Structures are given as C-alpha cells and as structure tokens.
Amino acid sequence: MDDLIAKYKGKKGNMIPLLQGTQSIYGYIPREAFEKLAAETGLELSDMYGVATFYAQFRLNPVGKHIIKVCHGTACHVQNAKAVTDSLKEALKVSDGETTEDGLFTLESVACLGCCSLAPVMMIGEETYGKLTGTEAVKIIKNIKIRESN
Amino acid sequence: MEKTKVIVGLGSCGIAAGAAKVYNKIKALQEAENLDFELKKTSCIGMCYREPLVEILDESGSYLYGDLDEEKIIEVIDKHIGQHSPVKEYVVHTDLYETVDTTFTKDQVKIALRNCGYIDPESIEEYEARDGYRALKKIAGQRMSRLDVIQSVLSSGLRGRGGGGFPTGLKWKFANNNKANEKYIICNADEGDPGAFMDRSLLEGDPHAVLEGMIIGAYAIEATGGVIYCRAEYPLAIKRLNIAIEQARKKGYLGKGILGMDDFDFDIYIKEGAGAFVCGEETALIASVEGQRGMPRKRPPFPAASGLWKKPTNINNVETFANIPWIILNGAEEYAKYGTEKSKGTKVFALAGKIKRSGLVEVPMGMSIRDVIFKLGGGIKNDKKFKAVQMGGPSGGCIPEYLADTIVDYDSVNATGAIMGSGGMVVMDETTCMVDVAKFFLEFTQKESCGKCTFCRVGTKRMLEILQRITEGKGEEGDLDKLEELSYQIKDNSLCGLGQTAPNPVLTTIRYFRDEYEAHIRDKKCPALVCTALLTYTVDPDKCTGCTVCAKNCPVDAIEGDRKQPHFIKQDVCIKCGMCYSKCKFDAIILS
C-alpha cells in the first residue's frame, strides 16, 4: 500500500482512489488497511467508512478468487436473469453476495453491465458471457472449477 | 489498388459473443497460409444481435459478415480472400445488394456514432482520417471566439442526451458567464440506467469524439480542467479512453497552448466511479469526484456558479459531447435540419429486451417508436405480441402498444409519462408482467436512494412493500390509490431527480395496465404468468406418460404417481419452482 499512499497522499479528492487502490490489492478493504490509511494520510476513519459503505463497489469482507457478477438490468430481468442466479445459487450452495466454502467463487447480483443486447449476461473477472440459461451458467462455473483444480 | 482489409468488431458485446477468438483465428490463418490482407480492429457498429462481426473490404466493396465463429471464419477467409468469392449466406450488410438486415441500417443517420465500427478506436490517426480534430482546428484556425462556439451549439438546438434534455448551448453560456481562475468541465460517463449502453459503445468505439467534444466545450466555457467520470464496470471503455488521452496529449490537442491558442490550456483525467446510480445527478457526481459520498445537494447554487471544488463547472453526457465536433465542423444549420421543432438532430437508442435485433441505432428525432422497434429492430422476438416499451430507465415509464406511434422527441415522450432519458428502449411482450416490471424498478431506486430525503428513502420502501404484496397474491383493495398517493408525495418532496422520478414506472404501469394490477389484486392471477406465487402447476393426465422425471426432479417431493401412470402435484406442498415444467419432455405440466 505504500506506493499507493505515496501517489495520493495530500491530493484533494483522494479518498475514493485510495480505497479503490486498496481494494485492488486485497480484493476487499480490511480493517487494518483503513487504519493504515487513516494514520498515514490524515483521512478520518469515519469518513472513509462512510464512503466505503455508500458505494456498491467497495467490500468490507474477503471475496472468492472469482467474482461472478450476474446482471439484473432491465433487459436481463425481462429475459429471466433470475433463473441464472437461482441455478448458480443452487450449484454453488451460496446466497447472493456470499462466497463458496472453498473460497473460489463469490456470487453477486449487479445492476447493469451494459451488455443488454446479449441478455441475460454475467461477468467473471473481465470476461463477459451472454445469452445465458441457468444450465449454461452452471457449465461455465464447472469449467472454471476444473481449470482451477488442475 | 488498395490492400484488402479484414476488420473485426472488438467492442464489449463482440468480445462477449466470441469476437476475440475469431480475431485470433484470422491471425493464425493469415500467418499459416501467408495471406495478403490487412487485419484491423474496430468497435461496435451497433448490430449487436449479429456479433461477432467481421467486415471484409476489397476492390468490389464492403461485406459485413455476422454470427461468425471459429469454424465459419475459416470458410469465409478461404472463399472470400482465397477465391474472391464472398460467402453470401453469412453477409449481413453490404451496399452491393439487399440482405435480410438491410432495414436495420436503412433509416439511420449517424452523427454521434459516425465513427463507431469504422475506425480502430485505439488509433488517433484513423480518427483524424475521418475529420477527427478538424472542428478543433477550425476553431483555432479561424480564431472563433468562445461566444461564437456557444452560439453554434445554441443554434443547433442540441439538448442534453443524458436524460434531462436541457439545451446544451444554454448550459455552456451560464458556465461561460461565471468568471473564475479555475473552471471545470465534466463528462458524465457513469451510465447507470439499466437497459442503456449507448455511452459504453461510444466510449469504446470512438473515444476521441468524446474528447474532442470536451476540449471544444472547455474552450467555450474557459475551463482549465476536465474530468471524465466513468463507471468502473466499463474496463474496456476506461482503457481506450486512457489511450486516447495519451495520444491527444502527444499531438497537442491537450495540454498547454492547445493548437497554438496561447490562452487555452486544458487537460483531462479519468475518475472511476464506484457504483452509485444517484451520481448521475450533477451535484452528487461532483461530491463523488471530490471523494465524498455521492449525495445530491440543494440547488442553487448551480454547478455553473459553484461546482467542483466550488468552482464554476459544466457537466454534459458522453453522447452530447460526441455530437459537438460534428456541429462545429458542419454547422448548426446542418444539424438542425434533422429532428422536430423542439428536439433537433439525432438520438442514439439502445434496443434491448424482447426484440429481434437488439443493438444500437441512431435516428433523426421525430421517427415513431413503432418504426424504431419494427423497421429497425425487426419486431418482437419469436413473433410474440408487442406489449410495451420501457423508456428512460428507472426515471422513465412504460409506453403501451397503442401509443407506439408516439414520435421520439423530448416533449412527445414526456407526454406519455415516460421520458427520453439516455435512450434505452427495453421492449416487452405478452410474457412480461407489468406489475413485476414496476416492482423491478422500484427495487432498483429503493436500493439506490442515497437516503437524504425521507420521502425517497422511506416512501420508495413502502411502495415496494405494497408491490411485493401484490405480486405475492396479498394485494388489497385500495392498494392502487395508496401507490398513487405515495408516488405524488415522493415526487413533490424529494430533492433530486432520483426521487422526483422514482415513482414514474409505477405510475405509468398503473395508468396503462390497470387491469393487470387488478387481476393480481382481485383475482389473484398473473396474466403474463410471471409472478411465481400466483401460479399453479398441474399435470395434464392425457399427456403425462408416467415417466417419473418430474417426480425425481421435484425438490420438495410434491409430485406423486405410479410408473407409467399419470402423476399429480400436491398443491399444498408445491413451492412453484417450475422444475417439473422445465424438465417435462411431453408438455404435460400445465401452468396457469
């Protein structure tokens, strides 16, 4: 985090980039990281928590290696995005927002990924998968699992 | 003779459909067989429903191939490049003859999207080759005054394309009137409307057009700094914007003394949004750029007087900026030739939902919604019945089929109770439940309310609770009156656009689909067969073969019956998950 702090320390409007940078290091923002930021940049702890809990992007708990973002935008909703989420919930045995026991996947419903023409859509890492059904979504997860175990 | 070009569409939608694989395959083929053509990249041309797309340009003309995969591209390269014989069955568009998709492109006029799908978005030279930065050079060359530039935008009639529809020239004039040593211009690229993707496509396909629009805006209002506030969910757009900014700096379009104008220093940086729909609201967006919670504040003072860091600030949306260079270069009159009396120019629409051809189209204002959906969009998927189109996202509303001849301009769309918004059109057919759609939008705005105003924070929650009850079969007489009353109170007592418009999807669906609400409340039925709690699954004994598949798959053992005998569903046990319905191979499960 030292490079990150050096880059943004003292700059105005630095709170969100600092939190974003911290999250990209750890995958979430640990309590200790908040404390380090507070001590070294002079930002108030309460302000940082206020911001971190306001925006959808920030996480305060560890996440799985792969974050599955299932789009629930309007186009996906009317084309049964719910079925995709339901199948994944069942296959991964987690609820929305939770991480699998093996720490491999976190399942998340998100607002809109802007790939409406391919609805329903999910995104894992930087990869987007379109025109899904529940069965196909589960197949994609299984393939990642197989790749991970090799 | 120019070298044959093979151009692959690598926008997000294309990549998601497999375009990167197709690109790599072409590259491999080219290297393996030493084929003589130039392999290039571009972004989305709007025909998302045919992705992956590859254009082949040879001496006879341009051929756009669609629905490709690694197998088909081998055939296309082999026949088109190897034997000079285009594979007609895969061609989705060409100027040489008509294809089934000709009507998708026919009535479009591309101004904002003029370069999308035509240039490599990562090459400033390709942008320049299509008149890029010529508007800026015109300003510098003719020493156009700031007021002349503003007058041009005013006369063009351009209105904000992000939702509000405020005249852009007027906004610039206000910002110009306020003098300060520091001023800012912000591009709102936080496209949070579910169902809209025009900004994403523009940023990915033609980032320089947005930059050039911003630079011209900065000149007009004397801005010293520029910020692009872009969604973190759009990594490709951010990547391409960064490349474009770097290129523009190197060429002297950004920086000190731009194009020799010694009174014009300006630079742009990108600020990644952190995910909050309310940041589409100007004052909330500014708070977010400053690193705070994105909560709107009371206006006045308006951002034009006191915005980012309390300095005069002007905010426009991506599509608005993309129109600017064209207007400056071709003249306000040219632009104003398109459109209606009060809504000039063209508008980009994102077609999605139950439509045959989902994608991006740009049409002159004044075209009817029906034409957009049926002529360009090809009509309803699986030829089902067209029920409604949702316009304007969570701030908008549902326009029913019988109003489909409404034309697309700000005032006509507003008159239906919906809004133009950023231009998302989500098409709905007979299998969409309008109560469910209203509930969907309320869930969204309820979650996204920043919480500052009680009416928005608590009011939307109460509305959502009522809607939830209705979709669960627990609706009561008087619920609709309650919903309407709450709606007007939330609209009247909220500080910002989010609260003021949040009830619109509910109000329009009550206005146009009251019978559907009543069916839920009085008859406990969901006519579109969507609301799970109101459905009944039964077995058609004539069709049931007794194969036992349904019983085996039922998660709660609600299905009984002997082998090879008709089964039945115990209604008191059934959780209405629909598993039997999806597993039955004999269509023996009846849904009512």
Side-chain angles (χ1 to χ4, degrees), chain B residues 487-508:
Chain B
S487 293
Y488 291 117
Q489 288 180 343
I490 294 168
K491 282 167 89 76
D492 289 345
N493 295 293
S494 296
L495 181 65
C496 84
L498 189 144
Q500 287 159 4
T501 61
N504 286 356
V506 180
L507 286 175
T508 53

Side-chain angles (χ1 to χ4, degrees), chain B residues 98-114:
Chain B
E98 293 221 337
T99 66
V100 288
D101 290 302
T102 301
T103 53
F104 181 78
T105 46
K106 213 172 148 213
D107 295 312
Q108 294 200 44
V109 175
K110 294 203 170 180
I111 293 178
L113 299 176
R114 60 195 176 277

